[in-house]
Amino acid sequence: MRLSATLALFTATLVSHATAHGYVPFIRINGATIPGWDVSKDGYTTPQPSRVVRATKPDSGFIADPSSADITCSIGNSKLPPSPITANVTAGGTVTVVWNTWPTGHYGPILNYMAKCVGDCSKWKGDTGSPWFKIQQHTYDGEWPSDKLAKGGFTYDVKIPKNIAAGNYLLRHENLALHGASSVGGAQFYPVCIQLTVTGGGSLNPSGLSFPGAYKATDPGIHFNPYQGDAANRAYIPPGGSVYPGLN
Ligand SMILES: [Cu+2]
């Protein structure tokens, strides 16, 4: 009896876990709420709605292989056309990413990159060349950023760099969950791409990173045991290198 009760509880935990993965149904810029990609609705609506967050299909699951084509923008997105619209934001302004939910215990950093679209973002996937640069990241400081997200209303503020040139960009915002990352291949990647038109700004045109390409399954920030205690967690080195210098 005890075993079957345990199994039932375990199964229930698995089921709730599978549905608990988050997605980004909204972003907020300057007090305005803008629809993101609602996994529960948008993929099932005909015609498909235009969103500033690139589509994720079929669900809100994770990417396990960092060399997968989906690592650029989200699960299933490599097979989908980019969206035709962008959201306007001033350089130096803030994009608030609103997740619908996020489970505690998906220990990991939150990483943010941008890439200037070659021409129109609606015709560009961001998966060739090295157009990406890191703009902001949070790692363990006594608590994992993923747990702060889970406890803090599921919102995360991304500051758009003040010194980048005006233009059309993808913002790649990513949760990297390390709860299974003690084994190679056990990390879970949850990127989303947000299409932005940046106004104002300076003259910086950073680049240098590729997705896929920037991450390897054996990187120390991807193959990492988050259960070794506070000191080890504080020494965590995220993948993708440091934030690009001189952005702000
Ligand atoms: Cu999960």
Side-chain angles (χ1 to χ4, degrees), residues 53-146:
V53 173
R54 288 194 170 177
T56 292
K57 262 191 176 173
D59 57 27
S60 51
F62 58 87
I63 298 156
D65 176 4
S67 66
S68 150
D70 284 346
I71 200 73
T72 314
C73 277
S74 60
I75 189 164
N77 185 268
S78 61
K79 299 185 187 69
L80 297 164
S83 164
I85 60 173
T86 59
N88 294 320
V89 62
T90 313
T94 298
V95 174
T96 300
V97 183
V98 183
W99 291 78
N100 71 317
T101 188
W102 196 255
T104 53
H106 272 41
Y107 307 123
I110 298 179
L111 310 168
N112 303 276
Y113 303 82
M114 288 178 82
K116 196 169 195 185
C117 298
V118 176
D120 191 339
C121 287
S122 70
K123 298 186 177 70
W124 187 71
K125 300 206 99 167
D127 58 355
T128 54
S130 302
W132 295 93
F133 54 99
K134 190 180 271 183
I135 62 164
Q136 179 177 310
Q137 60 187 352
H138 287 99
T139 55
Y140 182 92
D141 62 0
E143 188 172 33
W144 286 102
S146 56

Side-chain angles (χ1 to χ4, degrees), residues 17 21 62 103 106 179 188 190:
H17 178 87
H21 288 133
F62 58 87
H106 272 41
H179 53 294
Q188 302 181 353
Y190 300 88

Side-chain angles (χ1 to χ4, degrees), residues 2-214:
R2 185 165 298 163
L3 178 63
S4 66
T6 306
L7 275 175
L9 184 62
F10 182 63
T11 308
T13 305
L14 281 181
V15 169
S16 69
H17 178 87
T19 54
H21 288 133
Y23 53 88
V24 177
F26 297 103
I27 63 168
R28 285 204 289 264
I29 298 174
N30 247 342
T33 299
I34 301 166
W37 184 260
D38 189 328
V39 167
S40 71
K41 285 191 280 211
D42 290 345
Y44 307 100
T45 306
T46 310
Q48 261 184 34
S50 296
R51 302 297 192 210
V52 299
V53 173
R54 288 194 170 177
T56 292
K57 262 191 176 173
D59 57 27
S60 51
F62 58 87
I63 298 156
D65 176 4
S67 66
S68 150
D70 284 346
I71 200 73
T72 314
C73 277
S74 60
I75 189 164
N77 185 268
S78 61
K79 299 185 187 69
L80 297 164
S83 164
I85 60 173
T86 59
N88 294 320
V89 62
T90 313
T94 298
V95 174
T96 300
V97 183
V98 183
W99 291 78
N100 71 317
T101 188
W102 196 255
T104 53
H106 272 41
Y107 307 123
I110 298 179
L111 310 168
N112 303 276
Y113 303 82
M114 288 178 82
K116 196 169 195 185
C117 298
V118 176
D120 191 339
C121 287
S122 70
K123 298 186 177 70
W124 187 71
K125 300 206 99 167
D127 58 355
T128 54
S130 302
W132 295 93
F133 54 99
K134 190 180 271 183
I135 62 164
Q136 179 177 310
Q137 60 187 352
H138 287 99
T139 55
Y140 182 92
D141 62 0
E143 188 172 33
W144 286 102
S146 56
D147 277 354
K148 291 183 187 170
L149 179 74
K151 295 174 191 168
F154 313 122
T155 68
Y156 179 91
D157 285 345
V158 183
K159 185 173 185 244
I160 303 304
K162 200 172 68 195
N163 294 337
I164 57 171
N168 295 319
Y169 286 85
L170 292 182
L171 166 61
R172 182 181 180 281
H173 165 75
E174 178 179 45
N175 270 292
L176 168 51
L178 300 169
H179 53 294
S182 306
S183 351
V184 174
Q188 302 181 353
F189 302 88
Y190 300 88
V192 289
C193 284
I194 303 167
Q195 298 190 171
L196 299 174
T197 297
V198 176
T199 55
S203 56
L204 262 193
N205 278 296
S207 64
L209 298 173
S210 319
F211 285 103

